[in-house]
Amino acid sequence: MESTRRTFIKKSAITSTGIGLVSIIPSHVWAAKTAPSDKINVALIGCHSMGFGDLQNHLGYSEVNCVALCDVDDTTLNKRAAEVRDKFNQTPKLYKDFRKMLEQKDIDAVIIGTPDHWHCLMMVYCLEAGKDVYVEKPMGNSIEECNIMVRAAKKHNQIVQVGQQQRSGFLFNKAMELIKTGKIGNLRKVNIWANFEYGVGPEIVPDSPVPEGVDYDMWLGPAPKRPFNANRFHGSWRHFWDYGGGLASDWGVHLVDMGLWAKDIVNAPDKVLTYGDNTFPEKRARETFDTMSICYPKNDFVINYDLTAGLQHGPWDMPYGIAFIGDHATMVTDRNKLTAYPEFDNKSKKLKAEEYKFTEGKESHSEHARNFLDCIKSRNTPVCTPEIGRAAALHVHIANIAARVGEPVLLWDDAKNKFTNSEAANQLITPVYRKPWSLPKY
Ligand SMILES: NC(=O)c1ccc[n+]([C@@H]2O[C@H](COP(=O)([O-])OP(=O)(O)OC[C@H]3O[C@@H](n4cnc5c(N)ncnc54)[C@H](O)[C@@H]3O)[C@@H](O)[C@H]2O)c1
């Protein structure tokens, strides 16, 4: 049933871009509002923050309908439903259980904007229901969940876009072009940093009753049962291993992904060197590390990732950023700007590379949504595949595992799906799901 709807969208997309058609129909007609048959019906699971941002970015395109919203928190669900009605004049059906939502036949694609511990299960349920999926980053909250997600996406052959939106922005595409066309010489090193105050977590508060209208058991899902605490709920769940990976993974997947993209690496790392500690003076509500220095040695270059939570300043006067160090120039970038600093050649008395400065960068969520929508129609592969999502996630998960087990060097054998030098690390590859949930079998 669902594939029939998608096939129809795909056929109409091909027809409407057919050369003959465009040339005989006046532009005011073919550029007009999207025909109802070309509409893409989108649903959102997890409406509080980023998921709703993603939805709005999708709704910014005229062919998108929002037909369903799902959240375990009534307050969030009702607030977001009102916003969709007021801003976009649409009335999606509302759900607290995503499994019920997936029975709704007219949904083409689902955006997953829940905490990380839900991504794998939800993505698999969506794929099995024949839906295309936009899943937020990090793709999964563990190595094995990422493996399953790659296999499930392959088997179901649906369109999957992972929410590493930097892949869709002009700025990082330009950075990759400059690197890959040799403009900074041979890439020798990628230095990444992320220093954010939020990474130390909020001040400690006691456990409290579950807020009214929240299905807390469904929020926890496969994670262990425990009393409600506001610090482990909306937003700040990311500092606890059961649901997220702290600053290391929150920003790490975005930034390390750029280091991997520079050499088109879509594999797990073989070797990760990690120092993780808590050096922030106050005790906060957090299990994840506030201080980490991570090194990923690659064949012909090295990626370093350094994070200090509780601060908002960093190298090059930027709280986060990436320095791509080539032998002709160092190119420093964040999401807004890119500057290439050439080396000076003492023999020829000339710069070894051209100076380059670009300051007009911006967030690229909207472009990333556009790419997903285009791929839903064309059935082409989106720019951030599950394989790319897995590679970025494994790089940060392995560093977190190293810090958690206190093993400064971890050796990963991807073919055998195990660490070859730490049994303690092997225990953290696969999460234990709380019943009745079970890890999908793929
Ligand atoms: N791409 C980016 O730049 C970016 C930025 C921020 C966050 N994120 C990612 O987006 C995701 C969400 O992060 P956030 O900060 O918006 O979290 P959040 O806590 O603000 O929102 C999560 C929402 O999911 C809901 N939820 C939890 N379990 C659910 C379930 N079983 N069914 C339905 N709803 C459920 C919660 O009630 C909440 O409304 C995370 O994976 C995060 O890493 C990505």
Side-chain angles (χ1 to χ4, degrees):
M1 197 79 97
E2 285 308 302
S3 58
T4 311
R5 225 194 95 78
R6 268 197 313 283
T7 312
F8 183 67
I9 289 172
K10 182 185 164 191
K11 275 191 191 146
S12 50
I14 293 166
T15 315
S16 66
T17 54
I19 292 162
L21 193 71
V22 172
S23 58
I24 54 169
I25 299 176
S27 67
H28 70 272
V29 175
W30 55 259
K33 239 174 157 284
T34 318
S37 54
D38 289 339
K39 287 279 184 184
I40 297 175
N41 289 339
V42 168
L44 167 66
I45 315 175
C47 307
H48 184 253
S49 184
M50 192 63 236
F52 193 68
D54 289 331
L55 177 69
Q56 294 194 85
N57 284 315
H58 283 75
L59 284 169
Y61 295 107
S62 64
E63 72 264 50
V64 177
N65 275 333
C66 174
V67 293
L69 293 178
C70 172
D71 205 288
V72 293
D73 177 357
D74 282 343
T75 309
T76 297
L77 189 58
N78 294 330
K79 180 173 168 246
R80 294 315 195 187
E83 282 182 65
V84 170
R85 191 190 54 229
D86 295 348
K87 281 193 200 162
F88 300 99
N89 198 24
Q90 300 194 11
T91 45
K93 291 191 178 134
L94 306 184
Y95 299 88
K96 277 181 104 162
D97 185 330
F98 70 96
R99 294 166 298 183
K100 270 260 152 268
M101 187 192 86
L102 290 175
E103 289 170 13
Q104 190 180 318
K105 293 281 179 262
D106 63 350
I107 298 171
D108 298 310
V110 179
I111 299 165
I112 301 174
T114 61
D116 311 347
H117 70 289
W118 264 114
H119 291 181
C120 174
L121 261 180
M122 285 177 174
M123 177 170 136
V124 168
Y125 269 85
C126 291
L127 294 175
E128 288 176 349
K131 316 297 184 195
D132 295 327
V133 178
Y134 185 107
V135 61
E136 262 307 339
K137 54 53 46 180
M139 190 172 81
N141 195 35
S142 66
I143 295 176
E144 189 55 14
E145 287 172 311
C146 292
N147 296 340
I148 289 166
M149 292 165 93
V150 167
R151 291 196 287 262
K154 251 192 207 133
K155 174 163 182 210
H156 290 283
N157 201 23
Q158 302 286 133
I159 302 300
V160 177
Q161 175 86 296
V162 181
Q164 290 161 210
Q165 71 276 1
Q166 292 176 173
R167 290 258 170 180
S168 288
F170 170 82
L171 191 142
F172 283 110
N173 274 282
K174 187 71 192 171
M176 294 306 140
E177 181 198 311
L178 294 174
I179 293 166
K180 291 173 187 183
T181 54
K183 299 289 189 299
I184 65 166
N186 287 323
L187 182 64
R188 296 170 54 189
K189 194 186 270 184
V190 181
N191 282 347
I192 296 166
W193 65 98
N195 299 340
F196 288 107
E197 280 172 356
Y198 84 87
V200 289
E203 286 179 15
I204 294 168
V205 296
D207 293 345
S208 55
V210 175
E212 213 179 298
V214 171
D215 183 346
Y216 180 51
D217 193 61
M218 194 64 172
W219 188 97
L220 285 171
K225 196 165 183 64
R226 51 158 294 120
F228 181 85
N229 188 293
N231 279 336
R232 300 171 74 107
F233 194 48
H234 290 334
S236 43
W237 50 264
R238 46 185 28 86
H239 309 295
F240 296 91
W241 300 122
D242 286 340
Y243 329 114
L247 184 52
S249 71
D250 218 21
W251 272 84
V253 282
H254 285 305
L255 302 176
V256 173
D257 184 33
M258 298 299 98
L260 301 174
W261 191 12
K263 297 265 187 175
D264 293 321
I265 295 170
V266 283
N267 300 326
D270 301 333
K271 187 179 192 179
V272 180
L273 288 70
T274 307
Y275 176 74
D277 201 352
N278 287 308
T279 60
F280 186 69
E282 254 174 69
K283 187 141 179 51
R284 291 288 184 94
R286 183 186 76 251
E287 292 173 344
T288 53
F289 297 95
D290 63 37
T291 306
M292 292 181 83
S293 301
I294 307 161
C295 176
Y296 304 103
K298 301 292 177 192
N299 283 344
D300 55 354
F301 78 123
V302 58
I303 302 176
N304 293 308
Y305 175 26
D306 189 83
L307 67 92
T308 317
L311 304 179
Q312 203 65 31
H313 287 98
W316 303 88
D317 205 15
M318 291 149 71
Y320 75 95
I322 310 173
F324 296 95
I325 301 171
D327 50 12
H328 291 172
T330 291
M331 184 170 66
V332 181
T333 170
D334 62 11
R335 290 175 181 173
N336 303 312
K337 53 192 182 299
L338 184 164
T339 309
Y341 300 90
E343 292 295 317
F344 188 71
D345 186 343
N346 273 321
K347 271 194 202 148
S348 65
K349 304 291 177 212
K350 279 191 199 149
L351 294 176
K352 290 186 181 175
E354 278 174 44
E355 285 175 286
Y356 186 87
K357 195 174 180 73
F358 177 75
T359 55
E360 313 300 312
K362 59 177 181 61
E363 277 289 358
S364 44
H365 295 281
S366 178
E367 289 80 357
H368 210 47
R370 180 68 264 161
N371 174 252
F372 179 52
L373 295 169
D374 289 343
C375 293
I376 289 175
K377 292 181 189 174
S378 66
R379 313 313 288 169
N380 287 336
T381 306
V383 293
C384 195
T385 60
E387 286 79 4
I388 291 171
R390 175 183 180 267
L394 261 62
H395 276 76
V396 296
H397 289 330
I398 291 176
N400 268 337
I401 290 172
R404 289 172 75 182
V405 302
E407 186 65 65
V409 180
L410 277 183
L411 304 176
W412 174 250
D413 183 334
D414 207 35
K416 295 198 175 119
N417 197 45
K418 61 184 275 218
F419 296 100
T420 53
N421 66 331
S422 171
E423 236 350 275
N426 282 330
Q427 300 305 312
L428 296 179
I429 294 171
T430 308
V432 179
Y433 274 20
R434 181 172 66 104
K435 285 193 174 60
W437 303 101
S438 57
L439 203 62
K441 289 198 172 29
Y442 277 89

